[in-house]
């Protein structure tokens, strides 16, 4: 789950929420890819978002942070929201003593787990033991938006406003602003808890007593610092123009090269646990720089709710949260499934059945485009014939002897031999509609038709259930137990057990939850 709280009940709710969310996103992404065709690469993320209708105070999100207790905090221009994965709890100045301004600009957490909140008028609030407390700031501190907050290992909290002024703070004590003007995009703490900024093109570390101290061997800036942010392997990532490199212990230690980060960059850059670099921009969404150098665009065309990607945060589960300029809060779930789409978009048909091929690849049955073979990234279509209904393939199965069996909507069961499909048996009423095909442990082929089950045994087709009975209605699925007992599920007739030539039917009156059984599995 993306947001973790100590309550076991909440954890269970979150597990269900994010599972359902992932499934909805997966289906939505399938539709997007199907429309785009095979030439489009799927995003490496599945995207979902929350807006005011979901409880967010405002769609203008300026800061996102996950605190040690697992909550996700969202700063908007209409108050602060705490998100538990299910709902938002809103804190605003009208109902929250200590919070003086609803226009939240920045968030930070110190070493003691206290939440610091910077606002648009230069004010600062800290959340201590569940209570919001306004921080008394020196008179020399101007009323300009506080853009960034970083915490040092010694407990000092450093804040920076949009003018580049920097102020050191501790609980109850605010120092004087440093007599320097730093780059307003440059304030970051490294893994060791050292806080860094850039003044006059030089990299400086911040010291509670000495202020901004330039490093002796400061990396040379060519076009100007666009971003400074923490590197997970140590040191800092420094974006000089469009050139991204990692600097550590006085040396350049890694070079990610030149990338297009957008026309108007924002101070929203993070490195994920997997080594991806994400950067936000004003009107071009976010970009992802993969370790192999590939750059991925994330914007409204790939699922983001808005192209203004203002704030970025990675939670403990590896999900990326994006605060947008007017599209609310987005979450990017790393995609664990690669979506596959045929070049012809399956002839605008749905995929109904998939089975592996012993020679490699997959057989894929569709609702109107026949059968596809997919191997080594290449699709081959085996269309079924003249009419649409002949090309509706409900079930595909490659038997152990290598033959491909298909169950069609109108042409019965067909088997592929020497590149051609032939009918497996003469069609009679009801047996032309085949919903499932199954192979038993003994090599028998079972077919589930609209007129009951059929079995191919030693080259002969057998129909073990008399037509017209409740046990001979539409067969949706088969399962086999280890001793050879075969079961089949019916569309409205429950389940039937075939054992030693006897058929026993079980329905709702025998304990089933429903008489419509679509799938079974033997554990």
């Amino acid at each position: 789950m993306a947001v973790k709280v100590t309550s076991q009940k909440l954890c269970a709710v979150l597990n269900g929420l994010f599972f359902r969310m992932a499934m909805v996103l997966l289906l939505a992404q399938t539709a997007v890819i199907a429309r785009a065709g095979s030439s489009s690469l799927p995003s490496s993320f599945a995207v979902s978002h929350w807006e005011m209708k979901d409880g967010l105070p405002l769609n203008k999100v300026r800061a996102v942070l996950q605190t040690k207790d697992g909550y996700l905090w969202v700063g908007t221009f209409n108050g602060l929201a705490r998100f538990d994965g299910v709902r938002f709890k809103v804190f605003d100045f009208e109902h929250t003593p200590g919070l003086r301004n609803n226009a939240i600009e920045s968030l930070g957490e110190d070493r003691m787990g206290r939440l610091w909140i910077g606002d648009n008028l230069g004010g600062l609030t800290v959340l201590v033991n569940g209570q919001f407390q306004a921080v008394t700031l020196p008179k020399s501190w101007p009323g300009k938006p506080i853009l960034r907050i970083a915490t040092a290992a010694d407990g000092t909290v450093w804040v920076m406003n949009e003018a580049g002024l920097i102020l050191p703070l501790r609980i109850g004590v605010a120092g004087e602003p440093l007599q320097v003007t730093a780059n307003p995009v440059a304030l970051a703490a490294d893994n060791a808890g050292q806080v860094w900024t850039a003044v006059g093109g030089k990299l400086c570390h911040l010291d509670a007593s000495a202020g901004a101290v330039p490093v002796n061997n400061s990396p040379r800036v060519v076009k100007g610092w666009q971003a400074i942010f923490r590197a997970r392997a140590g040191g800092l990532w420094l974006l000089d123009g469009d050139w991204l490199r990692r600097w550590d212990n006085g040396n350049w230690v890694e070079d990610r090269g030149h990338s297009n980060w957008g026309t108007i960059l924002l101070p929203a850059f993070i490195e994920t646990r997997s080594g991806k670099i994400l950067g936000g921009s004003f009107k071009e969404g976010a970009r992802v720089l993969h370790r192999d150098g590939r750059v991925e665009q994330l914007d409204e065309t790939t699922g983001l709710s808005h192209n203004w990607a203002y704030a970025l945060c990675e939670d403990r589960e590896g999900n990326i949260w994006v605060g947008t300029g007017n599209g609310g809060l987005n979450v990017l779930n790393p995609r664990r499934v690669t979506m596959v789409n045929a070049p012809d978009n399956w002839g605008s048909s749905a995929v109904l059945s998939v089975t592996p091929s012993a020679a490699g690849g997959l057989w894929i049955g569709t609702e109107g485009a026949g059968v596809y073979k997919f191997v080594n990234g290449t699709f081959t279509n085996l269309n079924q014939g003249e009419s649409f209904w002949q090309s509706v393939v409900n079930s595909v199965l490659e038997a152990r002897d290598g033959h491909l069996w298909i169950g069609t909507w109108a042409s019965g069961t067909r088997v592929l031999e020497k590149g051609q499909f032939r009918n497996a048996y003469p069609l009679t009423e009801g047996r032309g509609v085949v919903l499932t095909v199954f192979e038993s442990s003994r090599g028998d082929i079972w077919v589930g038709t609209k007129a009951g089950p059929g079995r191919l045994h030693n080259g002969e087709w057998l129909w073990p259930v008399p037509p017209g009975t409740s046990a001979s209605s539409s067969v949706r699925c088969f399962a086999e137990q280890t001793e050879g007992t075969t079961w089949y599920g019916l569309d409205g007739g429950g389940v039937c057990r075939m054992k030693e030539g006897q058929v026993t039917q079980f329905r709702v009156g025998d304990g089933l939850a429903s008489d419509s059984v679509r799938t079974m599995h033997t554990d």
Side-chain angles (χ1 to χ4, degrees):
M1 75 202 91
V3 183
K4 183 179 180 183
V5 189
T6 54
S7 166
Q8 292 182 351
K9 181 176 180 181
L10 179 55
C11 289
V13 171
L14 291 180
N15 271 318
L17 169 73
F18 283 100
F19 174 78
R20 293 192 299 272
M21 181 178 71
M23 293 306 297
V24 170
L25 294 171
L26 196 59
L27 293 173
Q29 184 67 18
T30 303
V32 170
I33 296 163
R35 290 193 297 270
S38 61
S39 62
S40 298
L41 288 174
S43 168
S44 58
F45 299 97
V47 186
S48 186
H49 70 278
W50 291 263
E51 297 182 348
M52 292 177 66
K53 61 183 175 60
D54 305 303
L56 198 64
L58 197 68
N59 287 342
K60 191 179 186 70
V61 176
R62 305 290 273 189
V64 185
L65 175 72
Q66 186 182 32
T67 48
K68 291 181 176 65
D69 58 11
Y71 286 111
L72 194 78
W73 292 87
V74 186
T76 79
F77 263 30
N78 193 34
L80 182 67
R82 188 184 69 192
F83 189 45
D84 61 10
V86 179
R87 59 187 61 86
F88 294 94
K89 180 176 176 56
V90 177
F91 303 89
D92 56 36
F93 75 89
E94 293 182 12
H95 306 95
T96 309
L99 194 63
R100 297 178 179 176
N101 190 344
N102 276 348
I104 308 300
E105 284 277 5
S106 55
L107 298 170
E109 185 181 29
D110 66 19
R111 299 281 168 143
M112 300 299 292
R114 294 170 292 215
L115 179 67
W116 295 77
I117 305 143
D119 64 46
N120 184 255
L121 297 179
L124 197 67
T125 303
V126 61
L127 178 60
V128 183
N129 297 325
Q131 299 296 317
F132 290 88
Q133 301 174 10
V135 179
T136 301
L137 301 176
K139 294 181 179 180
S140 56
W141 181 250
K144 295 182 178 295
I146 294 177
L147 298 185
R148 299 177 76 77
I149 301 173
T151 305
D154 64 1
T156 303
V157 175
W158 297 88
V159 301
M160 175 187 283
N161 68 15
E162 69 174 9
L165 294 181
I166 302 173
L167 182 69
L169 298 123
R170 289 176 180 269
I171 287 292
V173 179
E176 287 295 324
L178 301 187
Q179 298 302 307
V180 297
T181 301
N183 188 326
V185 303
L187 187 72
D190 61 19
N191 289 340
Q194 178 68 65
V195 178
W196 301 83
T197 189
V199 179
K202 290 187 176 182
L203 193 64
C204 303
H205 66 80
L206 296 177
D207 183 270
S209 57
V213 181
V215 297
N216 294 328
N217 54 345
S218 175
R220 186 171 64 90
V221 60
V222 179
K223 295 184 178 180
W225 302 127
Q226 298 293 327
I228 294 177
F229 56 102
R230 179 173 72 98
R232 290 190 173 274
L236 298 169
W237 287 107
L238 305 177
L239 183 63
D240 179 3
D242 62 356
W243 190 8
L244 183 64
R245 292 177 289 174
R246 183 163 66 90
W247 185 84
D248 192 19
N249 291 324
N251 298 292
W252 294 114
V253 294
E254 190 174 349
D255 190 339
R256 289 290 187 95
H258 297 265
S259 299
N260 178 13
W261 292 101
T263 53
I264 302 177
L265 297 180
L266 298 173
F269 277 81
I270 60 170
E271 180 186 9
T272 68
R273 290 173 178 80
S274 62
K276 298 181 180 72
I277 304 291
L278 280 85
S281 70
F282 172 64
K283 61 180 181 179
E284 293 167 324
R287 283 173 167 83
V288 184
L289 177 61
H290 294 261
R291 296 190 69 92
D292 60 5
R294 178 171 62 92
V295 177
E296 180 181 354
Q297 179 74 34
L298 298 173
D299 55 23
E300 292 176 10
T301 67
T302 55
L304 277 187
S305 61
H306 198 260
N307 280 341
W308 184 356
Y310 193 88
L312 297 171
C313 169
E314 183 183 26
D315 68 25
R316 298 171 191 170
E317 302 299 326
N319 303 304
I320 308 298
W321 297 84
V322 183
T324 69
N326 198 32
L329 178 67
N330 289 241
V331 62
L332 313 178
N333 303 104
R335 188 175 296 285
R336 293 167 175 84
V337 176
T338 300
M339 309 307 295
V340 177
N341 191 52
D344 64 351
N345 194 25
W346 316 110
S348 299
S349 301
V351 171
L352 299 182
S353 181
V354 180
T355 190
S357 171
L362 299 170
W363 295 103
I364 303 165
T366 68
E367 190 178 29
V371 178
Y372 290 79
K373 178 69 180 291
F374 175 62
V375 61
N376 296 328
T378 301
F379 289 90
T380 304
N381 179 238
L382 288 70
N383 203 288
Q384 277 305 289
E386 300 174 358
S387 73
F388 171 81
W389 295 114
Q390 286 179 309
S391 297
V392 175
V393 178
N394 294 312
S395 183
V396 289
L397 170 73
E398 185 180 292
R400 288 190 290 274
D401 64 6
H403 285 96
L404 178 68
W405 295 82
I406 66 171
T408 74
W409 186 259
S411 302
T413 304
R414 311 192 81 189
V415 59
L416 183 64
E417 290 183 345
K418 298 180 181 180
Q420 297 293 323
F421 283 101
R422 66 167 178 82
N423 280 31
Y425 50 77
L427 298 185
T428 58
E429 185 177 356
R431 293 176 184 172
V433 178
V434 180
L435 303 173
T436 184
V437 184
F438 175 79
E439 185 178 21
S440 74
S441 59
R442 297 168 181 160
D444 292 348
I445 300 297
W446 285 91
V447 295
T449 77
K450 205 170 182 180
R455 174 190 180 195
L456 178 62
H457 177 68
N458 292 333
E460 180 183 2
W461 282 97
L462 307 173
W463 304 91
V465 182
T469 65
S470 61
S472 65
S473 57
S474 297
V475 177
R476 287 286 183 173
C477 56
F478 288 95
E480 182 183 36
Q481 291 180 282
T482 53
E483 77 277 10
T485 300
T486 302
W487 294 75
Y488 62 91
L490 296 164
D491 199 358
V495 295
C496 292
R497 180 186 64 199
M498 292 182 287
K499 184 176 182 179
E500 298 177 352
Q502 299 296 316
V503 177
T504 306
Q505 189 173 10
F506 301 88
R507 308 190 68 167
V508 169
D510 303 300
L512 277 185
S514 169
D515 279 341
S516 181
V517 178
R518 295 298 184 96
T519 184
M520 293 188 293
H521 176 70
T522 306
D523 67 15

